[in-house]
Structure formats: structure tokens, C-alpha cells
Amino acid sequence: MQDKRVLVTGGAGFIGSNLANSLAEANDVTVVDDGYLGTPENLHDDVEYVEASVTDDDLPTDVDVVFHLAALSSYAMHEEDPARGARVNVEGFVNTVEQARRDGCDTVVYATTSSIYGDRTEPSPETMAVEANTGYEASKLARERYAEYFHNFHDMTLAGLRYFSVYQGYGGSEEHKGEYANVIAQFAEDIAAGEQPELYGDGEQTRDFTHVDDVVRATTLAADEELQGIYNVGTGEQHDFLHVVDLINEELGTDVAPTFVENPIPDDVYVHDTLADYSKFEQATGWEPEIDLETGIEMVCSQYTD
């Protein structure tokens, strides 16, 4: 992407700031963020920062492309206040896209979620049946349905990306997320400090861990290709938490054993395993993940070893 006017909502957050900083190298990038999960300290100087909520009027949507990443992005956040979760994730989506449409923008890429697939040890295709077990998942499915409306009724193109377990580590833009950061970031921080990382249950749950650099490439390609519909963004590989701890110890030259705690999330909503089938997105764009887990953990741990 080059010489475009771009808006990134949630652009001071983890994924959003990585995307905004990357795009700003060749584009005019504006970020909207309310500061709840993001901080302008994540942004490069050539990114324009606007402190606002996606539920506000008069958003800076007079652009060529909108990347809508703003969201309350966890089960816990929604259970604390389901109405607020719906306002931000659903109303905020509709409000932003409608303002963009009125300003003449017809290309939107937005974040949905892979957690709607539930437990999967086989690759999850976009065509499989999904359901909402949490308010967070319900809000993301609502986005997908409203995206259908904007496409069918207003002829806009909207690509919904179901990201799988995105990580970077505290050396990047993930540190401000704290307890909401990916487990790789949290485990690495604990082990580097000589503290035992806490694993829920037996630690054998798995994730399709996807490095944020691969996610940024995918998100940009979705806009370049003006994709329409739903697409998975993951690696097609899954690793359990015990293996992650072993890799971090190996990279740091440490031998810190994890501690095991009872899972505070109810079994009927906790996603134990995830695994992406990203073939649809690969066929549409040629994208493939470039950073395997070993390389990604080396990148995460570099802040502690350099």
C-alpha cells in the first residue's frame, strides 16, 4: 500500500499500532484511540493521533481505507459490562463504517475473532458452523453480519479477519496490555524475572500462535486486494503452553518451572485449543506466515538477552 489516506481505529493498541507504524512508511496515517487499551507512546512520530471513541461523531473517516481494530478484546471485559462491550464493539463498528461510507470510503478491513470456532484440534475453515458462547464472541459475530449489510446494501468491500492468538512480547507494543497480553509475552516476562509462569489446568491447552508482523502483512494485503468476506489469519500449527515455557527457558538459558492453577474461566466458555485453516486467505492474496514459533519466541526474548 502506498500514497493512501488511512484510518486505523484502536490504532494506539497492540495490533493497531504495529499496523499504523508500518503503513506510515508510505501512507498518510491517522489513528483513533480512546486510550483505554492503547497509548500514543506506541506510535511513531509520523502517525497522527486522535484521542476519540469509535462511538463518537465526526471521526476522521475521509480516507481511502479504514482498518477497524478498536474493540474491547476479551471475555472478561465483556462480562464486566456487557452493554459497554456491545456499544464499543457493535455500535462503534457500525458508527465508524457508516461515517466512512458517507465520506466516500468503500474499503474496510476489520478484526473479528477466531474464538468463535471453539475447541479445535483440526484446522478451522471459515465455512464451519460457529456460535457465540460469550458476549465478546457475540459482538464480533454481530460485526460480521453488519459487514454483510454494508456490502449488500451499500456495495462496500469489507474484509473480516479472524486473527489467531497474536503475540509480539513486551519489547513491542504489547506491554501496556498487561494481564490481557498474549501468554507468550506474559510467560517470557515472568521467566526472565525468575518468576514461575502460571498455567491454567495442566498446561496442555494449545493455541495457533501468530506473530504480529505476519498479522500486519495480512491485514495490509486484505486492503490492497479489496477483499470481501471472512478470512482466517493464522499459521496452521498449534503448540501447547508447556512447550511455550520450554522454548522460552531454552532461549533465555533458564530453567524456571511453571506453576499450575485452577482455570478461572468456566469450562463451557474456555477455548482449550485453536488451529487455523488459512488456505482461503492464501489463495486470495498469496500470503503465508513467515515467522515460526521458535523464531517468534527468539524475537520476544531478545529484549532480555541483548
Side-chain angles (χ1 to χ4, degrees), residues 9 32-34 52-59 68 70 72 83-97 99:
T9 69
V32 162
D33 201 292
D34 65 2
S53 168
V54 289
T55 61
D56 290 346
D57 296 327
D58 300 321
L59 295 173
H68 187 77
L72 295 184
R84 181 169 185 256
R87 282 194 299 272
V88 174
N89 284 17
V90 183
E91 181 184 342
F93 175 79
V94 175
N95 183 54
T96 301
V97 176
Q99 289 188 49

Side-chain angles (χ1 to χ4, degrees), residues 225-264:
E225 300 294 335
E226 297 184 352
L227 296 185
Q228 168 61 35
I230 304 299
Y231 299 85
N232 290 333
V233 176
T235 69
E237 298 181 358
Q238 58 188 171
H239 302 273
D240 65 50
F241 288 10
L242 291 169
H243 182 54
V244 170
V245 170
D246 287 343
L247 288 176
I248 293 171
N249 271 312
E250 181 179 348
E251 184 61 33
L252 294 176
T254 52
D255 188 20
V256 180
T259 184
F260 301 93
V261 299
E262 184 178 351
N263 190 344

Side-chain angles (χ1 to χ4, degrees), residues 5 37 47-48 56 65 67-68 81 87 89 106 157 159 174 176 182 205 232 245-246 257 262 269 274 299:
R5 295 168 301 140
L37 290 174
V47 176
E48 181 182 356
D56 290 346
V65 181
F67 294 94
H68 187 77
D81 190 344
R87 282 194 299 272
N89 284 17
D106 59 6
T157 58
E174 197 173 4
H176 72 282
N182 189 278
Q205 61 268 66
N232 290 333
V245 170
D246 287 343
E262 184 178 351
V269 300
T274 67
M299 296 166 69

Side-chain angles (χ1 to χ4, degrees), residues 84-161:
R84 181 169 185 256
R87 282 194 299 272
V88 174
N89 284 17
V90 183
E91 181 184 342
F93 175 79
V94 175
N95 183 54
T96 301
V97 176
E98 174 61 12
Q99 289 188 49
R101 183 190 70 81
R102 291 177 179 176
D103 284 335
C105 175
D106 59 6
T107 302
V108 176
V109 178
Y110 66 97
T112 174
T113 182
S114 61
S115 67
I116 55 176
Y117 292 124
D119 290 329
R120 294 285 294 178
T121 54
E122 295 294 325
S124 305
E126 294 87 347
T127 53
M128 71 172 285
V130 296
E131 60 183 14
N133 291 314
T134 67
Y136 170 64
E137 293 165 1
S139 72
K140 289 304 186 77
L141 281 173
R143 284 186 175 191
E144 295 182 6
R145 296 297 175 261
Y146 270 105
E148 288 181 355
Y149 153 69
F150 279 107
H151 172 67
N152 293 333
F153 195 80
H154 293 295
D155 199 29
M156 300 177 70
T157 58
L158 303 98
L161 304 184

Side-chain angles (χ1 to χ4, degrees), residues 206-223:
T206 65
R207 295 289 180 270
D208 186 330
F209 292 107
T210 312
H211 194 274
V212 72
D213 288 356
D214 283 331
V215 168
V216 166
R217 285 193 304 108
T219 306
T220 303
L221 276 170

